[in-house]
Amino acid sequence: METIDRIPTSKIQRASKLITTGVKIGGNYLKYYGEKITNPETARDNLNSNNAEDIYDGLKNLKGSALKFAQMLSMEKNFLPQAYVEKFSLSQFSVPPLSAPLVIKTFRKYFGKSPSEMFDTFDANAINAASIGQVHKATANGKQLAVKIQYPGVAESISSDLALVKPIAMSMFNIQAKDSDKYFKEVEMKLFEETNYTLELAQSNEIAEACAHIPNLVFPKYYEEFSCERVLTMDWMTGKHLSEWCKTNPSQESANKIGQALWDFYMFQVHQLKKVHADPHPGNFLVDKDENLIAIDFGCMKAIPENFYKPYFELADRQNLENAAIYKQKLFELEMLTDKDTPEETVYFSGLFYDALSLLTLPFQGETFDFSDETYFARLAKLGERYANDKELKKMNVNRGSKHFIYMNRTFFGLFSLLHDLKAVIKTK
């Protein structure tokens, strides 16, 4: 397996890596323009495939926030070409890991001793690796353990990485420069939290205790004596990643069982705890042999303030959507409309958001919802295309929506995507 002996940590080193990637992308476009003349049917697909390959290859060795950005994009199935989704999804749990000497050096830095001095056994070769850290297998006191080690320099490079990917994000999601800082500060804050493994340990224990009553849902135990700000140790949990489990063609009953555990887990967090695991990608969930859902990795938790929670879920009520006065008031509370809007802008955005909310809240309207419904997800994809191609929207120079939408929408889009992969029928009430 390919391993990494060092990670670029300075702003200049990381910027240089991205510039090299940019040069490769430029070459891909030159190739595309020539191929479009001779083979127009496949030229665009080849361009997307080549660009996805080069962007991912550039980011995977940088690790950290740059790779986390690719991971977040891999969940945008309705907004990105399939080539990008497939390649970027590798960042969820399959990127080149740190070499064994670098792993040992990390332990000595934070614990003053090597892994072999701390554990009965320790596999210096990573079992899997993602955007911020990699996981090793160990044993201690007769227990099998998973030891997550953060890549060197990740926390220190967050701000500079975001500055590098900011232009890409603004272009892809039509974010206007004016008033955009609140959105990027929200992402920056969450990324800083994700690099604090001491905070993650506390959050993990909090969620595991609060959600212990949910059927068919289990959590690992965490070990403070083997953890610190950059190393986190927990029980080794045996199971298949959710995406791999879906490929085994489980029965409808089994898919519904896992899907219901996933739905109940998220709804309890959102409505009872007002704090939610905001990173719902397949790499953060396993399914064991007894068909229990195993939830891991609680570095990204989003607290939901009451002044956002209330209007956000009031708009999930069909009666509120159809009541013009209530609907308009909630749009103001969620910062989707502003006092500075012209009458034309108010009409335009009210209609735009009505169409989006009518579709996105459908799973909450009945007693059950069938997430295998391809028609529903085709409509979501069409909605994504509409946003991406709306010329009027691109002309608007004001960003729309509370900063809390970033991780709440990420949570629900990710949840819906996982349930769609499961083809689960869920009791949504």
Side-chain angles (χ1 to χ4, degrees):
M1 179 187 293
E2 176 191 358
T3 61
I4 297 174
D5 293 316
R6 63 184 296 276
I7 296 174
T9 55
S10 76
K11 184 176 181 179
I12 293 176
Q13 289 173 327
R14 296 176 76 82
S16 297
K17 187 69 176 176
L18 287 178
I19 289 171
T20 301
T21 301
V23 171
K24 290 182 179 179
I25 292 172
N28 292 340
Y29 272 99
L30 289 176
K31 183 179 178 182
Y32 162 71
Y33 294 134
E35 188 176 358
K36 190 167 66 167
I37 298 172
T38 59
N39 200 359
E41 294 82 9
T42 60
R44 173 58 67 174
D45 287 342
N46 290 338
L47 173 67
N48 290 335
S49 180
N50 291 334
N51 279 350
E53 179 84 28
D54 288 333
I55 292 172
Y56 178 71
D57 284 348
L59 296 180
K60 70 181 182 183
N61 290 327
L62 287 178
K63 310 285 191 184
S65 305
L67 189 58
K68 191 73 178 180
F69 179 65
Q71 183 191 97
M72 293 171 72
L73 289 179
S74 73
M75 295 163 62
E76 301 291 342
K77 296 181 180 179
N78 297 313
F79 297 90
L80 285 180
Q82 187 62 25
Y84 288 90
V85 172
E86 290 176 357
K87 182 57 68 172
F88 289 176
S89 67
L90 294 174
S91 65
Q92 294 168 4
F93 47 81
S94 180
V95 295
L98 301 180
S99 64
L102 195 51
V103 169
I104 294 170
K105 183 179 178 181
T106 300
F107 266 87
R108 290 195 182 280
K109 177 179 179 179
Y110 291 104
F111 293 102
K113 57 181 77 171
S114 68
S116 60
E117 294 175 285
M118 295 178 59
F119 302 99
D120 295 334
T121 64
F122 181 85
D123 188 346
N125 297 311
I127 302 300
N128 57 54
S131 55
I132 289 178
Q134 64 187 44
V135 177
H136 294 254
K137 199 169 187 177
T139 61
N141 306 317
K143 295 181 178 179
Q144 289 192 322
L145 304 173
V147 184
K148 184 165 71 169
I149 303 168
Q150 189 174 128
Y151 304 128
V154 166
E156 293 77 10
S157 64
I158 288 173
S159 296
S160 58
D161 275 5
L162 280 181
L164 291 171
V165 301
K166 185 177 180 179
I168 301 173
M170 293 178 73
S171 175
M172 291 185 72
F173 298 106
N174 195 34
I175 300 172
Q176 304 299 318
K178 184 180 179 181
D179 302 324
S180 65
D181 282 351
K182 65 178 181 180
Y183 302 112
F184 288 97
K185 286 294 182 184
E186 173 80 352
V187 173
E188 184 177 31
M189 182 184 73
K190 284 284 157 242
L191 288 172
F192 274 120
E193 289 178 2
E194 284 194 69
T195 62
N196 185 345
Y197 285 177
T198 302
L199 174 63
E200 182 175 344
L201 188 148
Q203 291 180 156
S204 301
N205 286 330
E206 176 190 352
I207 295 298
E209 182 179 354
C211 299
H213 65 285
I214 298 174
N216 308 313
L217 180 67
V218 295
F219 303 89
K221 179 181 177 182
Y222 294 81
Y223 297 90
E224 190 172 354
E225 65 270 28
F226 297 128
S227 302
C228 67
E229 191 177 351
R230 300 291 184 252
V231 178
L232 182 62
T233 300
M234 67 199 82
D235 285 333
W236 180 268
M237 307 299 284
T238 302
K240 293 181 181 292
H241 281 114
L242 191 57
S243 55
E244 294 301 314
W245 187 77
C246 289
K247 293 176 184 177
T248 65
N249 296 318
S251 68
Q252 188 65 56
E253 181 182 3
S254 297
N256 291 350
K257 179 181 177 182
I258 295 300
Q260 195 65 54
L262 190 63
W263 179 269
D264 293 346
F265 174 48
Y266 272 89
M267 293 308 105
F268 182 80
Q269 291 176 86
V270 168
H271 297 301
Q272 303 302 320
L273 304 180
K274 303 289 174 61
K275 189 176 184 180
V276 66
H277 175 266
D279 197 9
H281 68 74
N284 283 341
F285 295 96
L286 305 173
V287 180
D288 69 17
K289 61 181 179 59
D290 298 318
E291 294 187 346
N292 290 308
L293 181 70
I294 304 169
I296 56 177
D297 197 334
F298 293 93
C300 184
M301 296 293 297
K302 171 61 184 174
I304 311 169
E306 186 65 26
N307 63 355
F308 179 83
Y309 170 86
K310 194 170 184 292
Y312 186 87
F313 285 100
E314 283 177 338
L315 285 180
D317 185 331
R318 191 75 197 180
Q319 289 183 336
N320 290 333
L321 270 179
E322 300 300 337
N323 184 309
I326 294 176
Y327 171 66
K328 186 176 180 180
Q329 178 59 35
K330 299 309 163 189
L331 292 188
F332 274 103
E333 291 176 28
L334 292 168
E335 302 174 42
M336 298 164 89
L337 292 179
T338 75
D339 292 329
K340 296 179 181 179
D341 288 338
T342 65
E344 291 77 14
E345 286 174 330
T346 298
V347 170
Y348 172 79
F349 282 110
S350 294
L352 186 71
F353 294 136
Y354 176 83
D355 292 343
L357 289 165
S358 296
L359 182 58
L360 293 171
T361 60
L362 270 181
F364 301 95
Q365 304 301 334
E367 295 294 322
T368 63
F369 191 79
D370 184 356
F371 282 92
S372 70
D373 183 358
E374 296 294 346
T375 303
Y376 176 72
F377 285 89
R379 291 173 66 193
L380 278 180
K382 190 173 182 180
L383 178 68
E385 290 177 9
R386 174 182 170 185
Y387 274 106
N389 299 320
D390 191 322
K391 295 180 180 179
E392 288 300 314
L393 184 60
K394 290 180 179 179
K395 292 177 184 177
M396 303 297 178
N397 60 0
V398 177
N399 294 308
R400 299 283 161 173
S402 163
K403 66 179 182 179
H404 302 297
F405 272 112
I406 295 174
Y407 283 94
M408 286 300 293
N409 285 355
R410 180 188 181 196
T411 295
F412 279 102
F413 274 117
L415 176 61
F416 286 10
S417 178
L418 293 180
L419 292 170
H420 182 51
D421 289 343
L422 283 162
K423 308 300 182 189
V425 179
I426 299 299
K427 298 175 182 176
T428 54
K429 291 295 185 181

